[in-house]
Amino acid sequence: KAGVTQTPRYLIKTRGQQVTLSCSPISGHRSVSWYQQTPGQGLQFLFEYFSETQRNKGNFPGRFSGRQFSNSRSEMNVSTLELGDSALYLCASSFGGHSYNEQFFGPGTRLTVL
Amino acid sequence: EDKVVQSPLSLVVHEGDTVTLNCSYEVTNFRSLLWYKQEKKAPTFLFMLTSSGIEKKSGRLSSILDKKELFSILNITATQTGDSAVYLCAVGNNNDMRFGAGTRLTVKP
């Protein structure tokens, strides 16, 4: 079974721009969660999508949004980028909800905001 | 406010030693506690615990949850250099998945 894939792997943007990250879950998994990982804050939950619906959202500003498609692939968008958005963005998929099943993480997208 | 606290933050041991990593939590509507290992890439799943007192074991690794005292431990016996990594504890409820800061384990030959 193919693992979770994320594209792109690396991204450099400037302040004020917007960015879209993509995540393809393991086949058959319906839940996709997004996380931001930084050295200072560690891993922080952004949001979870299940069957195309946002089920949960972490404590991030509205500049962070996402969506899930009918094939369970998910995209995350960050608008009006700030320097503090530089981080590793990880997505994880699970069969059920993220608190009910083990999650499988993708390799991440490293975003650098200049 | 919900929180997950791991200790110690870092640990250096020699091959063959046994280590115990700690995770305490204060999370409303607890659903599950998960342990992950993170090397220089994405976290990989180790254990998911939902019930108190039931030890989960995989090779040299084992973990147990105490829902009354709100903590979990991860034990690694006969450590090897390949065990060097950051070990993450995460606690999930119906709304959130909250991670601890991690314990950085270094195993020296």
Side-chain angles (χ1 to χ4, degrees), chain A residues 35 37 42-45 48 55-58 88 90 98-108, chain B residues 31-32 34 36 38 41-45 48 50 88 91-101:
Chain A
Y35 298 88
Q37 187 172 33
L43 257 168
Q44 291 184 283
F45 170 70
E48 181 200 13
R55 193 152 66 170
N56 297 300
K57 190 175 194 306
L88 179 67
L90 293 161
H98 66 178
S99 297
Y100 298 84
N101 303 100
E102 62 182 280
Q103 290 186 291
F104 295 85
F105 281 82
Chain B
R31 178 66 67 176
S32 59
L34 299 95
Y36 290 89
Q38 187 174 27
K41 48 185 189 285
T44 54
F45 173 81
M48 185 169 89
T50 56
L88 296 164
V91 177
N93 60 17
N94 290 332
N95 302 314
D96 195 2
M97 179 65 70
R98 192 170 287 265
F99 281 77

Side-chain angles (χ1 to χ4, degrees), chain A residues 37-43, chain B residues 3-10 22-24 38 86-90 98-104:
Chain A
Q37 187 172 33
T38 59
Q41 299 295 320
L43 257 168
Chain B
K3 59 181 179 181
V4 178
V5 178
Q6 292 186 246
S7 62
L9 290 181
S10 68
N22 303 291
C23 176
S24 64
Q38 187 174 27
V86 174
Y87 290 84
L88 296 164
C89 169
R98 192 170 287 265
F99 281 77
T103 293
R104 181 173 294 280

